[in-house]
């Protein structure tokens, strides 16, 4: 039992902090801090800055750009990145398809995709969910039928995040409709989004933003060499990928930033002549959230230390569950601090409402998503009750 | 940063667990022990002494083991696991801790060996009716006549106050709050003990010109009291973690065996999801309590770390205590079944030295002073 970071880790943390706060363009970090719209170009610029310094995909195998860091180093890397408002490396690339290709792809696929994936030369999107396959992902119906040297894909995906920016999609398709268990007949295919037969329809979210899409496939021909891993083993790769997704989803650094902003803004708002931050009820609400976040951060450190074999610790469900709740609580706090200003979401020039108050409610509404995706919080409770408590 | 126990600490846990599981093999034993004064088992107390646990945090030169806060945490958690009624935290960590922190070398030499051997069971008489969780005294006063002191006023409730052979008493002195030692058989001392809802004991302790000796060299001891209370709050957090852990495990087992509507209760997601939430509360509280002990060990800001641990374990204790009963149904509210006793003890722990609202209010007062909280940075890691 020891509180302090070792001198080496202390130095590592300092190195990360310095890099993130000096080498990633300030205007991009300001946008993240202000919950503004980060453009495709800005995501790409930020990820390339990280990749050039070997900081985009440290968790990958060393030969493909990984750093052989300890879980604690990765944790520090991620937290410092969030604290510095750096847009994280695109999850679809860095946490999802990259590690899957590195683990299960053939040599040719590794050479073809991995470097470009790390550098965001290829922008990937995740084609898993379908209208009738959400939490019960294994019931997906999009089919891929072998025809000569091609797979022919038909069906529909939905909730495809940033599909409008994507160059390629990794897609779960049913390749054996006769398999005894529905999990057994699924394969993982990758193909370009501009392949004939692929169409995209944007879905507007409640915050007025466009970040998800429906993607339709009509006789899309995918060369056989674009199958990742083995035929009908796609479910295993999906589980591997979703396990990676859950790690780091607690987003503690990012919530910490929001609480710091909340304090800053609560100083600027006056109630009966006194700063809102001095109102005992508001101060206590913030103090409680801060304490919950400390508890989560410490739990993340505990879990991280116990997952050295690369497998997610079952308690990582706690991180997802509580992490999403705290992110949501922080966005809600910001709306409440904005108070009446919080309705001015779409004010433009000519409005005196500060930018942070304009984005507060859309951000809060948008963040209802974090307890739904990445395995909904009900799914996490099922995992905790089943895997940990044996219920 | 390292959350793992070393092998000696694991051995210690195993030894304490073995001893306490033998002593409290089921909740009926505890019920029996709690039914008669002094509300704990003197034999178990002696065994704890033989194992060296009652001198755990004291310096070796004073008959102790010279162990640190992590070892104290381990013992406290094991006590909580079976809710052993022995006053380890009250006598060793709090009253003993004050003697060790404030006492003169002579006093430490004289008193701590007795505590470590189990022959002396001190209590800290601090609470006064009409105040709560204060670091100072207000109604018990100390009067000096030459070299000697007398105390007057009432302390209540004093945990384990009737059984204690020596009392550490806080009292108003010129310029603040002083600490005094009062022998159990002192003239002008009246103690009325009673049973508390959790099966332990507390007392009304009345001083009427009662002779007392100064603990330490005098002056205002508010800071020492604040620190001792913080260390005891951290220890109580660990006792609470042990109790919550058992309450949750007992509940999960019950859900797997109790049948209604032709199936075991764990078939109802309405119940298993709530058990999952209990697990989340427990693990978050556990992390915070362990961290607070590490802060204490590292010499960081133990007072605010204790508030953080207290807040998290208070919220978790209430959540788990209440749900453990509810998920059991009617049997949960009976004295014949274990789980309600855990809830009762968690409720007592919550109120002895400050509850979650108390800790939250204290943390709120400094919320504007910091941009963010870094549990691995200042003021915690130094
Ligand atoms: C903003 C956003 C972005 C997304 N991005 C992507 C993406 O890029 N690619 C992709 O493939 N998917 C994406 N998703 C999809 C996401 O993974 C699904 O929304 C998620 O799996 C839940 O599925 P569903 O929305 O169909 O809800 P459903 O599964 O229909 O669930 C509805 C409700 O029932 C609950 N529920 C479901 N099953 C159970 C059960 N067994 N027990 C108890 N409760 C249950 C759920 O928790 C939820 O509360 C995204 C979703 C959102 C909201
Ligand atoms: C103080 C007290 C006085 C009482 N007095 C009387 C009396 O005078 N006469 C009398 O006849 N009875 C009396 N009762 C009994 C009372 O009606 C039962 O306790 C009650 O019906 C619950 O049954 P149980 O205790 O067996 O719990 P169980 O039915 O075993 O339930 C255990 C837990 O599982 C939950 N649960 C059960 N089924 C489901 C389900 N399908 N879905 C989700 N959750 C479920 C319950 O809500 C509970 O949380 C009394 C109970 C108490 C505590």
């Amino acid at each position: 039992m020891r509180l302090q970071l070792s001198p080496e880790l202390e130095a590592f943390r300092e190195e990360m902090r310095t890099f993130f706060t000096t080498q990633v363009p300030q205007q991009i970090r300001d946008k993240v801090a202000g919950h503004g719209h980060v453009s495709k170009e800005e995501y790409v610029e930020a990820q390339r800055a990280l990749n050039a310094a070997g900081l985009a995909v440290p968790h990958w195998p060393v030969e493909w750009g990984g750093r052989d860091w300890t879980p604690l180093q990765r944790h520090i890397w991620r937290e410092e990145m969030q604290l510095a408002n750096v847009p994280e490396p695109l999850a679809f690339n860095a946490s999802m398809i990259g590690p899957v290709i590195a683990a299960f792809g053939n040599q040719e696929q590794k050479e073809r995709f991995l470097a470009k994936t790390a550098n965001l030369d290829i922008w990937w999107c995740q084609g898993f969910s379908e209208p009738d396959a959400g939490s019960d992902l294994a019931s997906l119906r999009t089919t891929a039928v072998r025809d000569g040297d091609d797979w022919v894909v038909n069906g529909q995906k939905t909730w495809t995040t940033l599909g409008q920016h994507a160059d390629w999609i990794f897609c779960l398709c049913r390749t054996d409709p006769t398999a005894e268990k529905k999990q057994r007949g699924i394969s993982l295919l990758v193909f370009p989004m501009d392949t004939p037969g692929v169409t995209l329809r944007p879905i507007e979210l409640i915050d007025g933003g466009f970040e998800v899409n429906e993607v339709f496939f009509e006789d899309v021909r995918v060369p056989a060499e674009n199958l990742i891993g083995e035929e009908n083993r796609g479910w295993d790769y999906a589980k591997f990928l979703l396990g990676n997704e859950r790690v780091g989803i607690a987003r503690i650094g990012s919530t910490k930033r929001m609480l710091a902003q909340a304090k800053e803004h609560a100083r600027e708002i006056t109630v009966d002549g006194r700063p809102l931050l001095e109102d005992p009820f508001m101060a206590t609400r913030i103090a409680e959230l801060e304490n919950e976040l400390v508890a989560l951060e410490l739990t993340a450190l505990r879990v991280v230390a116990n997952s050295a074999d690369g497998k997610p610790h079952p308690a990582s469900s706690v991180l997802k569950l509580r992490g999403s709740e705290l992110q949501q609580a922080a966005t809600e706090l910001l709306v409440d601090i904005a108070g009446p200003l919080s309705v001015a979401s779409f004010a433009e020039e000519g409005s005196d409402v500060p930018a942070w108050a304009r984005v507060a409610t859309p951000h809060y509404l948008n963040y209802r998503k974090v307890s739904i995706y990445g395995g909904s919080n009900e799914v996490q409770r099922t995992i905790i009750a089943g895997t940990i408590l044996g219920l | 940063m390292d959350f793992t126990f070393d092998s000696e600490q694991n051995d210690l846990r195993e030894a304490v667990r073995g001893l306490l599981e033998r002593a409290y093999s089921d909740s009926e034993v505890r019920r029996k022990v709690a039914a008669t004064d002094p509300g704990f088992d003197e034999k178990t107390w002696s065994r704890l002494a033989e194992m060296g646990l009652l001198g755990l945090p004291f310096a070796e030169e004073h008959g102790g083991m010279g162990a640190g806060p992590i070892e104290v945490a381990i013992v406290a958690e094991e006590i909580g696991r079976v809710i052993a009624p022995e006053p380890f935290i009250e006598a060793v960590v709090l009253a003993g801790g004050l003697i060790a922190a404030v006492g003169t070398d002579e006093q430490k030499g004289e008193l701590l060996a007795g505590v470590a051997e189990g022959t002396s069971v001190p209590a800290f008489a601090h609470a006064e009716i009409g105040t709560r969780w204060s670091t100072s005294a207000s109604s018990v006063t100390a009067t000096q006549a030459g070299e000697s002191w007398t105390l007057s006023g009432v302390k209540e409730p004093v945990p384990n106050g009737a059984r204690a052979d020596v009392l550490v008493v806080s009292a108003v002195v010129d310029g603040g709050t002083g600490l005094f030692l009062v022998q159990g058989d002192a003239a002008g001392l009246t103690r009325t003990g009673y049973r508390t809802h959790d099966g332990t004991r507390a007392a009304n302790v009345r001083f009427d010109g009662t002779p007392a000796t100064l603990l330490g060299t005098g002056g205002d001891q508010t800071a020492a009291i604040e620190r001792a209370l913080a260390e005891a709050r951290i220890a109580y957090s660990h006792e609470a973690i042990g109790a919550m852990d058992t309450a949750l495990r007992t509940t999960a087992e019950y859900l797997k065996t109790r049948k209604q509507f032709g199936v075991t209760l764990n078939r109802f997601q309405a119940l298993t999801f709530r058990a999952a939430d209990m697990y989340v509360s427990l693990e978050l509280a556990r992390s915070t309590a362990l961290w607070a002990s590490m802060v204490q060990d590292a010499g960081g800001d133990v007072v605010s770390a204790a508030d953080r641990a207290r807040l998290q374990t208070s919220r978790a204790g209430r959540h788990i205590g209440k749900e453990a009963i509810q998920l059991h149904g009617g049997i949960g509210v009976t004295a014949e079944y274990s789980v309600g006793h855990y809830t009762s003890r968690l409720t007592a722990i919550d109120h002895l030295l400050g509850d979650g609202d108390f800790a939250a209010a204290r943390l709120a007062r400094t919320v504007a002073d910091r941009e963010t909280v870094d549990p691995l940075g200042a003021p915690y890691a130094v």
Side-chain angles (χ1 to χ4, degrees):
Chain A
M1 286 275 174
R2 201 188 61 245
L3 179 66
Q4 289 91 342
L5 290 173
S6 64
E8 296 75 39
L9 279 176
E10 202 64 79
F12 175 82
R13 172 145 102 156
E14 205 45 51
E15 180 194 332
M16 291 298 120
R17 190 166 291 184
T18 306
F19 182 89
F20 294 137
T21 51
T22 59
Q23 303 302 308
V24 178
Q26 180 77 41
Q27 84 274 9
I28 298 182
R29 295 193 295 118
D30 285 348
K31 255 197 192 170
V32 172
H35 311 301
H37 173 76
V38 180
S39 70
K40 176 177 182 178
E41 293 67 34
E42 288 168 326
Y43 273 118
V44 172
E45 187 183 347
Q47 183 157 337
R48 287 186 185 160
L50 296 180
N51 197 40
L55 298 178
V57 291
H59 48 295
W60 288 14
V62 172
E63 69 168 311
W64 302 108
R67 299 292 294 270
D68 203 19
W69 283 346
T70 62
L72 187 51
Q73 281 177 302
R74 287 184 207 166
H75 174 84
I76 292 171
W77 162 76
R78 197 181 290 280
E79 288 309 312
E80 289 299 327
M81 192 154 57
Q82 291 175 6
L83 271 176
N85 297 306
V86 172
E88 282 173 77
L90 190 69
F92 310 115
N93 288 38
S95 310
M96 299 188 191
I97 193 64
V100 167
I101 292 177
F104 306 106
N106 58 37
Q107 187 62 22
E108 199 196 323
Q109 289 167 337
K110 291 178 190 175
E111 283 165 14
R112 184 175 173 199
F113 292 118
L114 287 178
K116 288 180 174 173
T117 298
N119 204 44
L120 204 45
D121 296 338
I122 301 175
W123 184 300
W124 290 93
C125 66
Q126 178 189 19
F128 280 20
S129 304
E130 297 181 4
D132 290 329
S135 301
D136 182 16
L137 183 59
S139 64
L140 61 91
R141 291 204 298 244
T142 294
T143 55
V145 178
R146 193 62 187 256
D147 180 30
D149 285 343
D150 290 338
W151 292 96
V152 180
V153 179
N154 278 286
Q156 182 199 338
K157 295 293 171 180
T158 191
W159 307 123
T160 318
T161 297
L162 299 181
Q164 68 268 39
H165 298 336
D167 306 301
W168 282 68
I169 186 168
F170 55 92
C171 196
L172 289 177
C173 304
R174 189 159 300 284
T175 40
D176 179 6
T178 65
E180 238 168 74
K181 278 185 74 186
K182 58 187 178 182
Q183 285 84 353
R184 291 268 60 105
I186 295 170
S187 300
L188 183 62
L189 292 177
V190 301
F191 47 94
M193 288 292 280
D194 60 5
T195 312
V198 178
T199 52
L200 186 114
R201 184 186 81 82
I203 302 174
E204 184 177 359
L205 293 186
I206 38 176
D207 62 349
F210 291 90
E211 61 181 63
V212 298
N213 304 270
E214 290 180 296
V215 184
F216 301 90
F217 309 118
E218 207 185 321
D219 293 330
V220 177
R221 297 196 79 88
V222 177
E225 74 229 34
N226 288 11
L227 175 78
I228 304 292
E230 288 173 42
E231 193 176 329
N232 295 327
R233 292 285 304 279
W235 187 252
D236 296 340
Y237 313 144
K239 276 205 307 197
F240 171 87
L241 176 156
L242 293 171
N244 281 328
E245 189 185 4
R246 213 176 299 139
V247 175
I249 214 160
R251 300 188 55 82
I252 294 149
S254 148
T255 305
K256 228 183 234 188
R257 266 282 145 246
M258 283 197 267
L259 292 183
Q261 289 169 349
K263 289 187 203 179
E264 190 187 319
H265 303 319
R267 270 200 188 89
E268 296 157 4
I269 305 257
T270 305
V271 180
D272 294 334
R274 282 173 51 205
L276 177 57
L277 188 56
E278 285 173 20
D279 172 68
F281 185 81
M282 178 54 75
T284 309
R285 182 170 165 194
I286 297 174
E288 289 237 17
L289 275 176
E290 253 179 3
N291 213 49
E292 294 274 353
L293 197 59
V294 166
L296 185 68
E297 181 171 2
L298 293 166
T299 305
L301 287 163
R302 252 175 79 209
V303 167
V304 150
N306 284 319
S307 56
D309 59 353
K311 274 204 196 130
H313 191 272
S316 60
S317 285
V318 172
L319 304 182
K320 165 64 171 67
L321 181 55
R322 205 71 192 110
S324 59
E325 288 173 349
L326 290 180
Q327 289 175 66
Q328 293 176 333
T331 61
E332 189 174 350
L333 175 68
L334 282 160
V335 178
D336 291 339
I337 289 170
L341 304 183
S342 70
V343 299
S345 312
F346 298 127
E348 293 182 4
E349 272 172 51
S351 160
D352 291 336
V353 172
W356 70 266
R358 296 186 200 187
V359 298
T361 314
H363 193 223
Y364 159 72
L365 292 171
N366 179 276
Y367 262 48
R368 305 321 300 164
K369 71 187 177 189
V370 300
S371 51
I372 297 170
Y373 64 33
S376 75
N377 283 7
E378 289 70 32
V379 168
Q380 305 307 333
R381 286 188 179 92
T382 306
I383 294 172
I384 292 169
T387 319
I388 301 177
L389 298 177
L391 294 173
Chain B
M1 178 76 227
D2 182 6
F3 265 106
T4 48
F5 296 100
D6 64 30
S7 65
E8 278 175 38
Q9 290 166 338
N10 285 330
D11 291 348
L12 172 69
R13 181 185 298 280
E14 221 147 89
V16 182
R17 186 174 296 184
L19 191 161
L20 290 173
E21 275 179 356
R22 258 172 278 135
Y24 295 102
S25 49
D26 71 63
S27 67
E28 277 309 298
V29 180
R30 181 190 189 268
R31 237 179 124 202
K32 227 172 267 154
V33 167
T36 47
D37 283 344
F40 64 88
D41 182 5
E42 302 274 7
K43 273 202 228 89
T44 302
W45 192 249
S46 304
R47 288 194 190 107
L48 291 169
E50 281 158 28
M51 207 178 258
L53 303 180
L54 302 186
L56 201 59
F58 308 143
E60 286 173 41
E61 55 178 309
H62 299 129
M65 302 271 280
I70 307 298
E71 286 73 21
V72 169
I74 289 169
V75 176
E77 184 182 345
E78 292 307 318
I79 284 179
R81 203 178 287 280
V82 294
I83 47 169
E86 281 66 33
F88 171 74
I89 293 176
E90 293 79 0
V92 176
V93 179
L94 184 51
L98 274 167
I99 296 168
V102 177
T104 61
D105 276 342
E106 203 188 329
Q107 287 171 326
K108 286 191 254 190
E110 209 172 283
L111 296 169
L112 294 179
V115 179
E117 284 161 14
T119 49
S120 170
V121 187
F124 182 35
H126 180 55
E128 295 169 353
I129 287 174
T131 68
R132 55 190 223 156
W133 307 318
S134 170
T135 50
S136 53
S138 49
S139 69
V140 169
T141 54
T143 313
Q144 189 171 16
E147 285 294 283
S148 57
W149 292 81
T150 55
L151 302 184
S152 291
V154 178
K155 292 285 186 184
E156 184 174 7
V158 179
N160 208 37
R163 163 63 179 83
D165 55 298
V166 56
L167 298 168
V168 177
V169 188
S170 61
V172 178
V173 292
D174 267 351
T177 294
L179 287 171
F180 296 87
L181 294 168
V182 172
Q183 296 305 315
D185 56 4
L189 177 70
T190 319
R191 296 187 286 175
T192 314
Y194 45 80
R195 195 175 185 276
T196 56
H197 63 79
D198 62 330
T200 65
R201 295 295 184 277
N204 171 292
V205 179
R206 200 170 290 272
F207 305 92
D208 185 8
T210 310
T213 48
L214 203 55
L215 178 64
T217 51
D220 180 38
Q221 300 289 7
T222 312
I225 295 171
E226 176 81 293
R227 190 181 169 86
L229 291 175
E231 292 179 359
R233 283 181 187 119
I234 294 171
Y236 272 137
S237 296
H238 289 284
E239 185 184 334
I241 297 294
M244 289 186 249
D245 194 294
T246 300
L248 173 57
R249 273 185 301 113
T250 307
T251 304
E253 274 316 304
Y254 191 78
L255 294 180
K256 279 188 267 187
T257 47
R258 167 78 170 168
K259 276 190 171 179
Q260 287 290 281
F261 302 100
V263 293
T264 49
L265 290 177
N266 66 336
R267 299 290 294 278
F268 301 123
Q269 204 178 55
L271 304 177
T272 58
F273 273 27
R274 285 157 69 185
D277 285 335
M278 291 161 76
Y279 176 80
V280 173
S281 281
L282 170 61
E283 290 310 314
L284 292 170
R286 188 194 301 279
S287 306
T288 317
L290 285 170
W291 167 80
S293 294
M294 287 194 269
V295 172
Q296 187 185 337
D297 198 29
D301 178 357
V302 69
V303 173
S304 110
D307 284 342
R308 295 195 175 283
R310 198 70 278 288
L311 174 53
Q312 205 66 31
T313 43
S314 167
R315 300 288 187 247
R318 290 186 190 206
H319 173 207
I320 292 170
K322 290 186 283 194
E323 288 288 72
I325 291 180
Q326 178 64 23
L327 266 50
H328 273 86
I331 196 170
V333 291
T334 67
E336 291 160 17
Y337 188 76
S338 69
V339 87
H341 296 286
Y342 281 82
T343 308
S344 183
R345 179 61 186 159
L346 284 166
T347 308
I349 287 173
D350 205 17
H351 295 100
L352 282 166
L353 301 180
D355 66 3
D357 286 351
F358 164 83
R362 286 176 25 134
L363 292 168
R365 266 174 241 142
T366 55
V367 90
D369 303 346
R370 51 181 181 263
E371 191 195 8
T372 55
V373 182
D374 178 3
L376 306 187
Y380 302 114
V382 286

